[in-house]
Amino acid sequence: MIMKTDSRQGLVQDILVGIVGAFIGGFVLDFFNIPGGQVISGININSFGTALLGAVILIAIGKAIR
C-alpha cells in the first residue's frame, strides 16, 4: 500500500517481499551502523520497521527495473 503495488501482488508475493525485505533492511541498517540491524529478534516494532524499510527498498528496485 505504501508503494502503490498492493493490487498487483498476491498473497505469496506479499509474503516473499516481507521476508526478503527483512533481510535487506537488516543489511542496510548494518551497513550504516544503525543499532538494532543485527540484533533484531522476535516480533516487535523494531523488526517490523526493519522489514518495512527493506520491503520498500525491494519494491522500489523492482519498479525501477520495470
Side-chain angles (χ1 to χ4, degrees):
M1 290 172 21
I2 294 172
M3 296 295 290
K4 307 292 188 231
T5 59
D6 190 42
S7 62
R8 288 184 264 163
Q9 296 179 178
L11 177 66
V12 173
Q13 190 173 0
D14 283 341
I15 292 169
L16 289 175
V17 166
I19 292 170
V20 174
F23 284 107
I24 292 173
F27 286 128
V28 167
L29 290 180
D30 190 40
F31 180 76
F32 289 110
N33 290 326
I34 297 173
Q38 66 271 44
V39 293
I40 292 178
S41 62
I43 299 175
N44 53 35
I45 193 71
N46 292 337
S47 60
F48 178 76
T50 300
L52 181 65
L53 171 71
V56 167
I57 291 170
L58 180 63
I59 292 172
I61 290 170
K63 279 182 154 183
I65 291 173
R66 282 191 233 171

Coordinates of all heavy atoms in Angstrom, one line a residue:
M1 N 0.8 -1.2 0.0 CA 0.0 0.0 0.0 C 0.9 1.3 0.0 O 0.5 2.3 -0.6 CB -0.9 0.0 1.2 CG -2.0 -1.1 1.1 SD -3.1 -1.5 2.4 CE -3.1 -0.1 3.5
I2 N 2.0 1.2 0.6 CA 2.9 2.3 0.7 C 3.5 2.6 -0.7 O 3.6 3.8 -1.1 CB 4.1 2.1 1.7 CG1 3.5 2.0 3.1 CG2 5.1 3.2 1.6 CD1 4.5 1.6 4.1
M3 N 3.9 1.6 -1.4 CA 4.5 1.8 -2.8 C 3.5 1.6 -3.9 O 3.8 1.5 -5.1 CB 5.6 0.7 -2.9 CG 6.7 0.9 -2.0 SD 7.6 2.4 -2.2 CE 8.4 2.1 -3.7
K4 N 2.2 1.6 -3.6 CA 1.1 1.5 -4.6 C 1.2 0.3 -5.5 O 0.9 0.3 -6.7 CB 1.1 2.8 -5.5 CG 1.1 4.1 -4.7 CD -0.2 4.3 -4.0 CE -0.3 5.7 -3.4 NZ -0.6 5.7 -2.0
T5 N 1.6 -0.9 -4.9 CA 1.6 -2.1 -5.7 C 0.7 -3.2 -5.0 O 0.8 -4.3 -5.4 CB 3.0 -2.7 -5.7 OG1 3.5 -2.9 -4.4 CG2 4.0 -1.7 -6.5
D6 N -0.2 -2.8 -4.1 CA -1.0 -3.7 -3.4 C -1.9 -4.5 -4.3 O -2.1 -5.7 -4.1 CB -1.8 -3.0 -2.3 CG -2.5 -3.9 -1.4 OD1 -1.8 -4.9 -1.0 OD2 -3.6 -3.7 -1.0
S7 N -2.5 -3.9 -5.3 CA -3.5 -4.6 -6.1 C -2.8 -5.5 -7.1 O -3.4 -6.4 -7.7 CB -4.3 -3.6 -6.9 OG -3.6 -2.8 -7.7
R8 N -1.5 -5.4 -7.4 CA -0.8 -6.2 -8.4 C -0.2 -7.4 -7.8 O 0.3 -8.3 -8.5 CB 0.3 -5.4 -9.1 CG -0.3 -4.4 -10.0 CD 0.7 -3.6 -10.8 NE 1.0 -2.4 -10.0 CZ 2.1 -1.7 -10.2 NH1 3.0 -2.0 -11.0 NH2 2.2 -0.6 -9.5
Q9 N -0.1 -7.5 -6.5 CA 0.6 -8.6 -5.8 C -0.4 -9.5 -5.2 O -1.4 -9.1 -4.7 CB 1.6 -8.1 -4.7 CG 2.7 -7.3 -5.2 CD 3.6 -6.8 -4.2 OE1 4.5 -6.1 -4.5 NE2 3.3 -7.0 -2.9
G10 N 0.0 -10.8 -5.2 CA -0.9 -11.8 -4.5 C -0.3 -12.1 -3.1 O 0.7 -11.5 -2.6
L11 N -0.9 -13.0 -2.4 CA -0.5 -13.3 -1.0 C 0.9 -13.8 -1.0 O 1.7 -13.4 -0.1 CB -1.5 -14.3 -0.4 CG -1.2 -14.8 1.0 CD1 -1.3 -13.6 2.0 CD2 -2.1 -15.9 1.4
V12 N 1.2 -14.7 -1.8 CA 2.5 -15.4 -1.8 C 3.6 -14.3 -2.1 O 4.6 -14.3 -1.4 CB 2.6 -16.5 -2.8 CG1 4.0 -17.1 -2.9 CG2 1.7 -17.6 -2.5
Q13 N 3.4 -13.4 -3.0 CA 4.4 -12.4 -3.3 C 4.5 -11.4 -2.2 O 5.6 -11.0 -1.9 CB 4.0 -11.7 -4.6 CG 5.1 -10.7 -5.1 CD 4.8 -10.1 -6.4 OE1 3.8 -10.4 -7.1 NE2 5.8 -9.3 -6.9
D14 N 3.4 -11.1 -1.5 CA 3.5 -10.2 -0.3 C 4.3 -10.8 0.8 O 5.1 -10.2 1.4 CB 2.1 -10.0 0.2 CG 1.3 -8.9 -0.6 OD1 1.9 -8.2 -1.3 OD2 0.0 -8.9 -0.4
I15 N 4.2 -12.1 1.0 CA 4.9 -12.8 2.0 C 6.4 -12.8 1.6 O 7.3 -12.6 2.5 CB 4.4 -14.2 2.2 CG1 3.0 -14.2 2.9 CG2 5.3 -15.1 3.1 CD1 2.3 -15.5 2.9
L16 N 6.7 -13.2 0.4 CA 8.1 -13.2 -0.1 C 8.8 -11.8 0.0 O 9.9 -11.7 0.4 CB 8.2 -13.7 -1.5 CG 7.9 -15.2 -1.7 CD1 7.9 -15.6 -3.1 CD2 8.9 -16.1 -0.9
V17 N 8.0 -10.8 -0.4 CA 8.6 -9.4 -0.3 C 8.9 -9.1 1.2 O 9.9 -8.4 1.5 CB 7.6 -8.4 -0.9 CG1 8.0 -7.0 -0.6 CG2 7.6 -8.6 -2.4
G18 N 8.0 -9.5 2.1 CA 8.3 -9.2 3.5 C 9.5 -9.9 4.0 O 10.3 -9.4 4.8
I19 N 9.6 -11.2 3.7 CA 10.8 -12.0 4.1 C 12.1 -11.4 3.6 O 13.1 -11.2 4.3 CB 10.6 -13.5 3.8 CG1 9.5 -14.0 4.6 CG2 11.9 -14.2 4.1 CD1 9.0 -15.4 4.2
V20 N 12.1 -11.3 2.3 CA 13.3 -10.7 1.6 C 13.6 -9.3 2.1 O 14.7 -8.9 2.3 CB 13.2 -10.8 0.1 CG1 14.4 -10.1 -0.6 CG2 13.1 -12.3 -0.4
G21 N 12.5 -8.5 2.3 CA 12.7 -7.2 2.8 C 13.3 -7.1 4.2 O 14.1 -6.2 4.5
A22 N 13.0 -8.1 5.0 CA 13.6 -8.1 6.3 C 15.1 -8.3 6.2 O 15.8 -7.7 7.0 CB 12.9 -9.3 7.2
F23 N 15.5 -9.2 5.3 CA 17.0 -9.4 5.2 C 17.6 -8.1 4.6 O 18.7 -7.7 5.1 CB 17.2 -10.6 4.2 CG 17.1 -11.9 4.9 CD1 16.0 -12.7 4.5 CD2 18.0 -12.4 5.8 CE1 15.8 -13.9 5.1 CE2 17.8 -13.6 6.4 CZ 16.7 -14.4 6.1
I24 N 17.0 -7.5 3.6 CA 17.6 -6.3 3.0 C 17.6 -5.2 4.1 O 18.6 -4.5 4.2 CB 16.7 -5.9 1.8 CG1 16.9 -6.9 0.7 CG2 17.1 -4.4 1.3 CD1 16.0 -6.6 -0.5
G25 N 16.5 -5.0 4.8 CA 16.5 -4.0 5.9 C 17.6 -4.2 6.9 O 18.3 -3.3 7.4
G26 N 17.8 -5.5 7.3 CA 18.9 -5.8 8.2 C 20.3 -5.4 7.7 O 21.1 -4.9 8.4
F27 N 20.5 -5.7 6.4 CA 21.8 -5.4 5.8 C 22.0 -3.9 5.7 O 23.1 -3.4 5.9 CB 21.9 -6.1 4.4 CG 22.1 -7.5 4.4 CD1 21.3 -8.4 3.7 CD2 23.1 -8.1 5.2 CE1 21.5 -9.7 3.7 CE2 23.3 -9.5 5.2 CZ 22.5 -10.3 4.5
V28 N 20.9 -3.2 5.3 CA 21.0 -1.7 5.2 C 21.3 -1.1 6.6 O 22.2 -0.2 6.7 CB 19.7 -1.1 4.6 CG1 19.7 0.4 4.8 CG2 19.6 -1.5 3.2
L29 N 20.6 -1.5 7.6 CA 20.9 -1.0 8.9 C 22.3 -1.3 9.4 O 23.0 -0.5 10.0 CB 19.9 -1.5 9.9 CG 18.4 -1.0 9.8 CD1 17.5 -1.6 10.9 CD2 18.4 0.5 9.8
D30 N 22.7 -2.5 9.1 CA 24.1 -2.9 9.5 C 25.1 -2.1 8.7 O 26.2 -1.7 9.2 CB 24.3 -4.4 9.3 CG 25.5 -5.0 9.9 OD1 25.9 -4.5 11.0 OD2 26.2 -5.8 9.2
F31 N 24.9 -1.9 7.4 CA 25.8 -1.2 6.6 C 26.0 0.3 7.1 O 27.1 0.8 7.1 CB 25.3 -1.1 5.1 CG 26.2 -0.4 4.2 CD1 27.4 -1.0 3.8 CD2 25.9 0.9 3.7 CE1 28.2 -0.3 2.9 CE2 26.7 1.6 2.9 CZ 27.9 1.0 2.4
F32 N 25.0 0.9 7.5 CA 25.0 2.3 8.0 C 25.3 2.3 9.5 O 25.2 3.4 10.1 CB 23.8 3.1 7.7 CG 23.7 3.4 6.2 CD1 22.7 2.8 5.4 CD2 24.5 4.3 5.6 CE1 22.6 3.0 4.1 CE2 24.4 4.6 4.3 CZ 23.5 3.9 3.5
N33 N 25.6 1.2 10.1 CA 25.9 1.1 11.6 C 24.8 1.7 12.4 O 25.1 2.3 13.5 CB 27.3 1.8 11.9 CG 28.4 1.1 11.3 OD1 28.4 -0.1 11.3 ND2 29.4 1.8 10.9
I34 N 23.6 1.5 12.0 CA 22.5 1.9 12.8 C 22.2 0.7 13.8 O 22.0 -0.4 13.4 CB 21.2 2.2 12.0 CG1 21.5 3.3 11.0 CG2 20.0 2.4 12.8 CD1 20.5 3.6 10.0
P35 N 22.1 1.0 15.1 CA 22.0 0.0 16.1 C 20.6 -0.8 15.9 O 19.6 -0.2 15.6 CB 22.0 0.7 17.4 CG 22.2 2.1 17.2 CD 22.3 2.3 15.7
G36 N 20.7 -2.1 16.1 CA 19.5 -2.9 16.0 C 19.4 -3.7 14.7 O 18.5 -4.5 14.6
G37 N 20.2 -3.4 13.8 CA 20.1 -4.1 12.5 C 20.4 -5.6 12.6 O 19.8 -6.4 12.0
Q38 N 21.4 -5.9 13.4 CA 21.8 -7.4 13.5 C 21.3 -8.0 14.8 O 21.4 -9.2 14.9 CB 23.3 -7.5 13.4 CG 24.1 -6.9 14.5 CD 24.4 -5.5 14.3 OE1 23.6 -4.7 13.9 NE2 25.6 -5.1 14.7
V39 N 20.6 -7.4 15.7 CA 20.2 -8.0 16.9 C 18.7 -8.0 17.0 O 18.2 -8.2 18.1 CB 20.8 -7.3 18.2 CG1 22.3 -7.5 18.2 CG2 20.4 -5.8 18.2
I40 N 18.0 -7.9 15.9 CA 16.5 -7.9 16.0 C 16.1 -9.4 16.2 O 16.5 -10.2 15.4 CB 15.9 -7.3 14.7 CG1 16.2 -5.8 14.7 CG2 14.4 -7.6 14.7 CD1 15.7 -5.1 13.5
S41 N 15.2 -9.6 17.1 CA 14.7 -10.9 17.4 C 13.3 -10.8 17.8 O 12.9 -9.9 18.6 CB 15.5 -11.7 18.4 OG 15.5 -11.0 19.6
G42 N 12.5 -11.7 17.4 CA 11.1 -11.7 17.8 C 10.2 -10.7 17.0 O 10.7 -10.2 16.0
I43 N 9.0 -10.6 17.4 CA 8.1 -9.7 16.7 C 7.9 -8.5 17.6 O 7.3 -8.5 18.6 CB 6.8 -10.4 16.4 CG1 7.0 -11.6 15.5 CG2 5.8 -9.4 15.8 CD1 5.7 -12.4 15.3
N44 N 8.5 -7.3 17.1 CA 8.3 -6.1 17.8 C 8.4 -4.9 16.8 O 8.5 -5.2 15.6 CB 9.4 -5.9 18.9 CG 10.8 -6.1 18.4 OD1 11.1 -5.8 17.2 ND2 11.7 -6.7 19.2
I45 N 8.3 -3.7 17.3 CA 8.2 -2.6 16.4 C 9.5 -2.4 15.6 O 9.5 -2.0 14.5 CB 7.8 -1.3 17.1 CG1 7.4 -0.2 16.2 CG2 8.9 -0.8 18.1 CD1 6.1 -0.4 15.4
N46 N 10.7 -2.7 16.2 CA 11.9 -2.6 15.5 C 12.0 -3.6 14.4 O 12.5 -3.2 13.3 CB 13.1 -2.8 16.5 CG 13.2 -1.8 17.5 OD1 12.7 -0.6 17.3 ND2 13.8 -2.1 18.7
S47 N 11.7 -4.8 14.6 CA 11.7 -5.8 13.5 C 10.7 -5.5 12.4 O 11.0 -5.7 11.2 CB 11.5 -7.2 14.0 OG 10.3 -7.4 14.6
F48 N 9.6 -5.0 12.8 CA 8.6 -4.6 11.8 C 9.1 -3.4 10.9 O 9.0 -3.4 9.7 CB 7.3 -4.1 12.4 CG 6.2 -3.7 11.5 CD1 5.5 -4.6 10.7 CD2 6.0 -2.3 11.3 CE1 4.6 -4.1 9.8 CE2 5.0 -1.9 10.4 CZ 4.3 -2.8 9.6
G49 N 9.7 -2.4 11.6 CA 10.3 -1.3 10.8 C 11.4 -1.7 9.9 O 11.5 -1.2 8.8
T50 N 12.2 -2.6 10.4 CA 13.3 -3.1 9.5 C 12.8 -3.8 8.3 O 13.3 -3.6 7.2 CB 14.2 -4.0 10.3 OG1 14.8 -3.3 11.5 CG2 15.4 -4.6 9.5
A51 N 11.8 -4.7 8.5 CA 11.2 -5.4 7.4 C 10.5 -4.4 6.4 O 10.6 -4.6 5.2 CB 10.3 -6.5 7.9
L52 N 9.8 -3.4 7.0 CA 9.2 -2.5 6.1 C 10.1 -1.7 5.3 O 9.9 -1.5 4.1 CB 8.3 -1.5 7.0 CG 7.5 -0.5 6.3 CD1 6.5 -1.1 5.4 CD2 6.9 0.5 7.3
L53 N 11.2 -1.2 5.9 CA 12.3 -0.5 5.2 C 12.8 -1.3 4.0 O 12.9 -0.9 2.9 CB 13.4 -0.1 6.1 CG 14.6 0.5 5.5 CD1 14.3 1.9 4.9 CD2 15.8 0.6 6.5
G54 N 13.1 -2.6 4.3 CA 13.7 -3.5 3.3 C 12.7 -3.7 2.2 O 13.0 -3.8 1.0
A55 N 11.4 -3.9 2.5 CA 10.4 -4.2 1.5 C 10.2 -3.0 0.6 O 10.0 -3.1 -0.6 CB 9.1 -4.6 2.2
V56 N 10.2 -1.8 1.2 CA 10.1 -0.6 0.4 C 11.3 -0.5 -0.6 O 11.1 -0.2 -1.8 CB 10.0 0.7 1.3 CG1 10.2 1.9 0.5 CG2 8.6 0.7 2.0
I57 N 12.5 -0.8 -0.1 CA 13.7 -0.7 -1.0 C 13.5 -1.8 -2.1 O 13.8 -1.5 -3.3 CB 14.9 -1.0 -0.1 CG1 15.2 0.2 0.8 CG2 16.1 -1.2 -1.1 CD1 16.3 0.0 1.8
L58 N 13.1 -3.0 -1.7 CA 13.0 -4.1 -2.7 C 11.9 -3.7 -3.8 O 12.2 -3.9 -5.0 CB 12.6 -5.3 -2.0 CG 12.4 -6.6 -2.9 CD1 13.7 -6.9 -3.6 CD2 11.9 -7.7 -2.1
I59 N 10.8 -3.2 -3.4 CA 9.8 -2.8 -4.3 C 10.2 -1.6 -5.2 O 9.9 -1.6 -6.4 CB 8.4 -2.5 -3.6 CG1 7.9 -3.8 -3.0 CG2 7.4 -1.9 -4.6 CD1 6.7 -3.6 -2.1
A60 N 10.9 -0.7 -4.6 CA 11.5 0.5 -5.4 C 12.4 0.0 -6.5 O 12.4 0.4 -7.6 CB 12.1 1.5 -4.5
I61 N 13.3 -1.0 -6.1 CA 14.2 -1.6 -7.1 C 13.4 -2.3 -8.2 O 13.8 -2.1 -9.4 CB 15.2 -2.5 -6.4 CG1 16.2 -1.7 -5.5 CG2 16.0 -3.3 -7.4 CD1 17.0 -2.6 -4.6
G62 N 12.4 -3.0 -7.8 CA 11.6 -3.7 -8.8 C 10.9 -2.8 -9.7 O 10.8 -3.0 -11.0
K63 N 10.4 -1.7 -9.2 CA 9.7 -0.7 -10.1 C 10.7 0.0 -11.0 O 10.4 0.3 -12.2 CB 9.1 0.4 -9.2 CG 7.7 0.1 -8.6 CD 7.2 1.2 -7.9 CE 5.7 1.2 -7.8 NZ 5.1 2.4 -7.1
A64 N 12.0 0.2 -10.5 CA 13.0 0.9 -11.4 C 13.4 -0.1 -12.5 O 13.7 0.4 -13.6 CB 14.2 1.2 -10.5
I65 N 13.4 -1.4 -12.3 CA 13.8 -2.3 -13.3 C 12.7 -2.4 -14.4 O 13.0 -2.5 -15.6 CB 14.1 -3.7 -12.7 CG1 15.4 -3.6 -11.9 CG2 14.2 -4.8 -13.8 CD1 15.7 -4.8 -11.1
R66 N 11.4 -2.4 -13.9 CA 10.3 -2.5 -14.9 C 10.2 -1.2 -15.7 O 9.9 -1.0 -16.7 CB 9.0 -2.7 -14.1 CG 8.8 -4.1 -13.7 CD 7.4 -4.3 -13.2 NE 7.5 -4.9 -11.9 CZ 6.5 -5.0 -11.1 NH1 5.3 -4.6 -11.5 NH2 6.6 -5.6 -10.0

